[in-house]
Amino acid sequence: MGERLSTTARERTEDDVVKRLESYLIENIEYNLNLQCICSHLRMSRTHLVTLFKSKKGMGVIEFYKQLKIEKAKIYIREECLNLTEISEKLGYNSIHSFSRHVRKVTDMSPSEYAKSVKSFI
């Protein structure tokens, strides 16, 4: 019975780590974080963090972070307050080209094509 409690406590702790990591990534969406920086912030080894996150989320930390960036970019595009270069800069991309490549990889559309597609629904 004691073993079950420790397993439950461990899972709760692991879930807490994943939630803290998600919050950290969201709060720092405008930067270009890497695993070393993330591990340092959470005071965890790279191996442990990568293994834990993958087991809980089914994907890598950086892959998840990039998906967050694209979801934020899609919001910015729909709001039409910023142009694509400004969105790219705001989300920490080194260039509009790397931003465009990443958007296309995730959405199968360029940022401009995505913008046109959401305008057609409005």
Side-chain angles (χ1 to χ4, degrees):
M1 178 109 182
E3 186 176 315
R4 174 171 270 214
L5 288 175
S6 65
T7 300
T8 303
R10 181 175 43 81
E11 286 175 4
R12 230 177 295 154
T13 301
E14 289 174 349
D15 290 344
D16 182 55
V17 168
V18 171
K19 284 179 188 165
R20 283 194 349 243
L21 172 56
E22 287 177 1
S23 294
Y24 178 69
L25 296 177
I26 291 166
E27 290 165 11
N28 293 281
I29 198 96
E30 73 274 12
Y31 299 110
N32 228 343
L33 298 178
N34 60 36
L35 273 176
Q36 181 180 349
C37 177
I38 295 165
C39 291
S40 176
H41 175 77
L42 292 174
R43 295 185 177 99
M44 291 181 72
S45 77
R46 179 185 180 118
T47 304
H48 182 65
L49 180 66
V50 168
T51 305
L52 171 63
F53 195 82
K54 184 136 185 134
S55 74
K56 296 289 182 179
K57 291 292 191 181
M59 68 176 65
V61 175
I62 299 302
E63 180 185 359
F64 181 80
Y65 183 52
K66 288 181 176 182
Q67 281 188 359
L68 288 175
K69 284 181 178 277
I70 294 304
E71 290 307 311
K72 190 68 168 177
K74 288 161 77 175
I75 291 168
Y76 287 143
I77 290 168
R78 286 192 302 268
E79 289 174 349
E80 298 182 349
C81 295
L82 303 169
N83 67 39
L84 297 177
T85 301
E86 291 168 332
I87 294 170
S88 163
E89 290 170 356
K90 194 166 181 76
L91 292 175
Y93 286 90
N94 296 326
S95 72
I96 186 70
H97 303 292
S98 61
F99 171 68
S100 294
R101 268 194 314 274
H102 190 234
V103 170
R104 182 177 292 280
K105 182 178 178 186
V106 173
T107 67
D108 289 327
M109 291 183 261
S110 71
S112 307
E113 291 167 339
Y114 178 79
K116 286 176 190 166
S117 77
V118 293
K119 284 180 190 170
S120 67
F121 290 113
I122 298 174

